[in-house]
Amino acid sequence: ELERLVQGFYFQLGLRIYLAFGIVLCLFMFRFVVQMCLSKHFIRNNRFLRWLTLPYGVRRATETKRASSRKVNDILTNAMKMHFSEWNGMRVTAAERFVLEPERTVRVGGLVWSWWNLLTRRLSTHYGIWQQSRLSIAQECQVIVLLFGIVLLIWGSKTLASDAERQRAEIQAEPEGPLKDQALRFVPEGWVVEATFAFGGFFAVGVAVVIILVYLPSTVATILGLRSGKIATFRDQKHFFVNRKAPDKVFYNVPNAIYALLGSASLFFVIFGGILFLFLWPVSSQTMNLILSWCLGLSITIGIKTMLMMFSRKEFHQALMRKRVKASNYNALAMECWQLGVGGGALLSRLCQFLFAAAFWIGRVDVVFLDEDVSLFGYSFDYMPINYRTELLVHEAHKHPFINRLGGMFLMRMKHGDFASAAGAKWRLLFTLSLFPWLARYRKKSGDDDDLDD
């Protein structure tokens, strides 16, 4: 039996997929093989080999430096534009023009935008967003788990379908009787098993692909939100300091992402595959058809009620006021009595929404699903996203383009000693205040409690 399993098609297919991933990993390790086989002098004198053996971290650091240079140049360019003496025909100062100039924003982020900028490397060279290695490893592992899951689904479908047909054939060989008919009724046919696996697997694979694709856009959106101030940091006394408490917990993220994806896909497989199986299984098909008929009738009734409510809302109400008080009261009483009969639809709708939302967001550790008010004796149930955001903050504390530029200045001072002297710092302060006179005014206008301390 074991030899038949090993020689089977699906086991061999799994081996070939595993071999393909091994070849891909070997290609990624090619530069290390070159470094071991060739001398450093030969590599240093060859431009292509020098580029090939350049460590990945060095390349990313170079791209971050390019992004910091671009950001600084944009800041200086915008500041110079503020110093033109006229604005719409009026002579104004730079600080006045800063107040009068409309704020210009650019829409960034999204699924296609994030992946396109990642492939074109603009994500790092233009925006200075550092893609952490744990996210890359987690996404690669998720793809591997998904591919092996597809193979396992196909193998399990064929195996269980053949076992079901074999059992039905054995039952068919038994003498006629009520027990035989009952056994045939309980043992599903092979095509029922295959249809169940195909239907549930379709939704499970679709959900897994969506979860894999949205991790990068979600990460980019979080980083941009932290940089722009949309997501509060130091001024958020409740959440930000929770992220700073335990930065060592970032090692949870890779295993959490893998098992969360597996759990979400499995739940969707069980839900949708189980529903189809109950419809096709002779034992439960009559009950499921009755439930489906009830749901359809309830949906039609709710649809009619919704249309009547839209009509009555337009006729009897204006904003929060009633235009026709008596008719509005009769209408409210009728709708309330009607809702008592179709209230089960609200229960069913709420149950399905929460069930499918929970099944999907179980697979994501990058965003918070439960509100902060959902707690029991001070214990919040959704802690995985805190660890994920902590990792983003850790990388931002080291790889932000401006921090990268500032760190370069400190390193130059440590190396040369006289770089960035006290006199030079005063001149740079005067230059900054003259070029950006609105900075001090903005701090005074912000209305923060710690302005005096600053």
Side-chain angles (χ1 to χ4, degrees):
E1 183 68 19
L2 181 60
E3 183 178 0
R4 183 179 65 85
L5 176 64
V6 172
Q7 296 298 329
F9 170 75
Y10 298 104
F11 189 87
Q12 295 296 322
L13 179 61
L15 289 180
R16 283 166 174 75
I17 294 176
Y18 190 77
L19 178 62
F21 274 106
I23 295 174
V24 173
L25 291 178
C26 290
L27 292 177
F28 282 112
M29 300 291 290
F30 176 71
R31 66 185 185 91
F32 297 103
V33 177
V34 172
Q35 286 179 323
M36 290 187 295
C37 297
L38 300 178
S39 65
K40 294 182 179 180
H41 179 73
F42 182 78
I43 295 175
R44 194 178 298 113
N45 293 332
N46 190 296
R47 185 176 180 181
F48 173 74
L49 292 179
R50 190 168 64 249
W51 172 83
L52 180 65
T53 57
L54 190 67
Y56 181 71
V58 175
R59 296 183 188 179
R60 297 296 300 275
T62 304
E63 294 172 354
T64 303
K65 292 181 183 296
R66 290 173 58 186
S68 63
S69 299
R70 186 198 67 81
K71 287 178 175 291
V72 172
N73 290 337
D74 288 346
I75 290 175
L76 295 176
T77 302
N78 293 333
M80 293 300 297
K81 289 180 180 179
M82 295 293 107
H83 282 264
F84 287 110
S85 57
E86 292 188 358
W87 184 82
N88 290 344
M90 298 183 298
R91 297 186 62 86
V92 294
T93 63
E96 291 172 341
R97 175 159 182 168
F98 175 77
V99 176
L100 295 173
E101 190 74 19
E103 184 179 5
R104 296 182 178 90
T105 58
V106 179
R107 292 185 61 87
V108 295
L111 180 65
V112 178
W113 184 92
S114 300
W115 283 101
W116 173 254
N117 281 276
L118 176 68
L119 296 176
T120 57
R121 309 189 75 84
R122 282 174 53 87
L123 207 59
S124 54
T125 59
H126 192 77
Y127 297 96
I129 295 177
W130 185 279
Q131 184 188 2
Q132 65 269 29
S133 58
R134 283 191 181 88
L135 177 60
S136 303
I137 295 172
Q139 298 252 267
E140 292 169 6
C141 294
Q142 286 176 334
V143 172
I144 294 174
V145 169
L146 175 60
L147 293 178
F148 275 100
I150 293 174
V151 175
L152 184 63
L153 280 176
I154 298 174
W155 175 78
S157 172
K158 297 296 182 182
T159 303
L160 293 179
S162 61
D163 289 344
E165 290 294 341
R166 179 175 54 81
Q167 291 181 10
R168 289 183 65 87
E170 293 177 355
I171 296 173
Q172 290 283 2
E174 296 294 328
E176 295 293 335
L179 186 60
K180 175 182 177 180
D181 296 336
Q182 192 72 8
L184 288 175
R185 188 166 177 264
F186 273 91
V187 177
E189 299 182 30
W191 70 270
V192 173
V193 177
E194 292 180 350
T196 299
F197 271 75
F199 190 71
F202 172 78
F203 283 95
V205 172
V207 167
V209 171
V210 171
I211 291 176
I212 292 172
L213 290 177
V214 299
Y215 263 98
L216 178 65
S218 174
T219 301
V220 171
T222 304
I223 292 175
L224 294 178
L226 290 169
R227 292 182 180 180
S228 62
K230 184 178 180 180
I231 301 176
T233 51
F234 288 103
R235 302 190 186 278
D236 185 2
Q237 300 290 334
K238 184 175 182 180
H239 300 92
F240 180 69
F241 291 95
V242 174
N243 297 113
R244 299 181 65 188
K245 279 184 179 178
D248 57 317
K249 287 187 177 181
V250 297
F251 65 84
Y252 288 163
N253 291 330
V254 174
N256 287 346
I258 297 171
Y259 286 104
L261 174 75
L262 186 61
S264 180
S266 301
L267 281 175
F268 273 90
F269 172 77
V270 171
I271 292 172
F272 285 95
I275 290 174
L276 182 64
F277 179 79
L278 292 176
F279 272 105
L280 298 178
W281 195 32
V283 178
S284 58
S285 61
Q286 186 176 0
T287 304
M288 294 301 294
N289 289 328
L290 182 62
I291 295 176
L292 179 61
S293 302
W294 178 77
C295 292
L296 289 175
L298 191 63
S299 301
I300 294 172
T301 306
I302 293 176
I304 296 173
K305 182 176 72 71
T306 303
M307 289 189 291
L308 290 177
M309 286 178 61
M310 293 171 61
F311 172 77
S312 61
R313 186 182 302 127
K314 184 177 179 181
E315 292 293 324
F316 304 146
H317 295 82
Q318 182 69 37
L320 299 178
M321 303 298 177
R322 292 173 293 180
K323 295 189 293 186
R324 298 166 58 184
V325 179
K326 188 175 182 179
S328 176
N329 290 337
Y330 285 139
N331 176 73
L333 178 61
M335 291 299 171
E336 191 167 359
C337 294
W338 197 347
Q339 183 64 24
L340 290 174
V342 298
L347 171 64
L348 183 63
S349 173
R350 190 175 176 85
L351 179 63
C352 292
Q353 290 179 35
F354 284 6
L355 178 63
F356 288 116
F360 180 80
W361 260 271
I362 281 175
R364 298 187 60 184
V365 299
D366 55 323
V367 291
V368 177
F369 175 61
L370 297 177
D371 189 79
E372 60 182 14
D373 293 331
V374 182
S375 60
L376 185 63
F377 302 111
Y379 175 79
S380 299
F381 298 93
D382 200 8
Y383 282 103
M384 287 187 182
I386 296 177
N387 299 328
Y388 191 85
R389 183 169 292 184
T390 299
E391 182 172 4
L392 299 184
L393 290 170
V394 168
H395 283 280
E396 282 293 284
H398 294 81
K399 303 299 183 181
H400 192 285
F402 292 155
I403 293 180
N404 182 280
R405 178 56 56 90
L406 188 62
M409 295 173 63
F410 290 156
L411 290 176
M412 291 289 288
R413 181 177 177 84
M414 293 175 61
K415 180 178 181 181
H416 299 286
D418 56 349
F419 183 84
S421 62
K426 298 300 182 182
W427 277 108
R428 282 190 296 274
L429 181 60
L430 292 174
F431 171 79
T432 303
L433 290 177
S434 62
L435 190 60
F436 308 99
W438 51 83
L439 290 180
R441 177 172 296 185
Y442 175 75
R443 290 174 67 90
K444 292 178 182 178
K445 283 186 176 182
S446 61
D448 298 323
D449 296 334
D450 58 344
D451 278 344
L452 296 177
D453 297 334
D454 292 344

